[in-house]
């Protein structure tokens, strides 16, 4: 399965630095997520996209967990109707949270999902940034501070939401489809060796 509107380049046509990163992802995941190939047709944009992605999603500072970050992506991507990001990041969310139902729950209605009050407050803010960022005010910060979020954590919630708003639109207009492997990840516990 490939990007439907824009054919990705062959691996041997991709600059060495990008190809090395794609092959490293393939080694770890067992497949190459479509976004890595779909964006590789524009190397400068690929590098910028993944540099900012990694700065937001892989950082160790702050109180947001990897699960929190993927929950923000899954929830706001559902609001933006981005199939690729809901499926791909929903898979990561299930794995990080060790909850096979959580991604479907937050994608459909996070207010009824099996998540903590802290996560619900985080998603309330993320959805406000996603849909009505011009309405964010001091009361939003106060509500998040009450759940232990720092101002830097709040920046992270907003930046993840905004970055994936862009990513959602690129994936949607380009016809990027999720890899079939994402659909099953994190749904059934792995057999113990």
């Amino acid at each position: 399965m490939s990007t439907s509107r824009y054919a990705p380049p062959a691996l041997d046509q991709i600059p060495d630095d990008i190809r090395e990163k794609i092959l490293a992802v393939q080694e770890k995941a067992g497949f190459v997520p479509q976004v890595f190939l779909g964006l590789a047709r524009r190397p400068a944009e690929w590098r910028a996209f993944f540099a900012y992605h990694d700065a937001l999603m892989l950082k160790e500072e702050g109180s947001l967990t990897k699960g929190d970050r993927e929950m923000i992506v899954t929830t706001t991507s559902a609001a933006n109707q981005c199939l690729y990001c809901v499926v791909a990041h929903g898979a990561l969310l299930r794995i990080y949270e060790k909850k096979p139902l959580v991604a479907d729950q937050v994608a459909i209605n996070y207010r009824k999902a099996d998540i903590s009050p802290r996560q619900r407050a985080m998603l309330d803010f993320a959805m406000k940034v996603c849909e009505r960022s011009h309405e964010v005010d001091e009361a939003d910060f106060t509500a998040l501070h009450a759940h232990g979020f720092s101002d830097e954590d709040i920046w992270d919630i907003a930046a993840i939401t905004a970055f994936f708003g862009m990513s959602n639109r690129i994936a949607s207009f380009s016809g990027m489809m999720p890899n079939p492997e994402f659909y099953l990840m994190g749904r059934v516990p792995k057999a113990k060796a």
Side-chain angles (χ1 to χ4, degrees):
M1 184 184 296
S2 67
T3 306
S4 65
R5 289 189 189 97
Y6 295 89
L11 273 176
D12 64 354
Q13 297 173 330
I14 296 172
D16 291 343
D17 63 314
I18 295 174
R19 184 173 49 254
E20 287 174 19
K21 290 179 181 176
I22 289 172
L23 292 173
V25 169
Q26 183 178 32
E27 176 77 21
K28 183 176 181 180
F31 65 98
V32 179
Q34 294 294 340
V35 68
F36 285 88
L37 293 173
L39 294 179
R41 59 189 307 281
R42 292 181 163 220
E45 291 174 37
W46 191 100
R47 291 180 188 103
F49 180 93
F50 283 105
Y52 196 39
H53 172 278
D54 292 354
L56 291 171
M57 300 302 284
L58 302 180
K59 72 185 286 186
E60 308 236 343
E61 304 86 33
S63 72
L64 297 182
T65 66
K66 287 181 180 181
D68 289 339
R69 293 170 194 280
E70 296 299 342
M71 192 175 292
I72 293 164
V73 177
T74 303
T75 303
T76 59
S77 294
N80 290 328
Q81 299 183 42
C82 180
L83 178 64
Y84 183 89
C85 291
V86 169
V87 173
H89 291 277
L92 295 172
L93 172 57
R94 289 189 298 272
I95 291 166
Y96 291 141
E97 290 291 303
K98 296 177 178 48
K99 292 179 173 181
L101 307 180
V102 70
D104 299 318
Q105 292 173 348
V106 299
I108 298 302
N109 185 350
Y110 75 91
R111 291 174 187 90
K112 293 185 177 182
D114 180 23
I115 60 176
S116 70
R118 178 184 175 278
Q119 289 171 323
R120 191 164 286 106
M122 173 186 77
L123 295 179
D124 283 341
F125 181 69
M127 287 300 293
K128 189 169 187 179
V129 171
C130 178
E131 297 174 332
R132 305 175 326 278
S133 61
H134 59 283
E135 293 179 11
V136 171
D137 60 24
E138 196 57 36
D140 297 303
F141 285 79
T142 301
L144 289 167
H145 290 152
H147 286 278
F149 291 104
S150 69
D151 284 346
E152 294 305 312
D153 294 330
I154 295 167
W155 180 286
D156 288 341
I157 295 166
I160 291 165
T161 300
F163 176 79
F164 279 94
M166 177 195 70
S167 179
N168 297 159
R169 285 155 180 83
I170 291 171
S172 293
F173 93 80
S174 69
M176 193 176 294
M177 297 303 292
N179 301 66
E181 293 89 344
F182 283 128
Y183 287 93
L184 296 179
M185 291 170 59
R187 292 195 186 276
V188 179
K190 289 185 177 181
K192 294 185 180 182

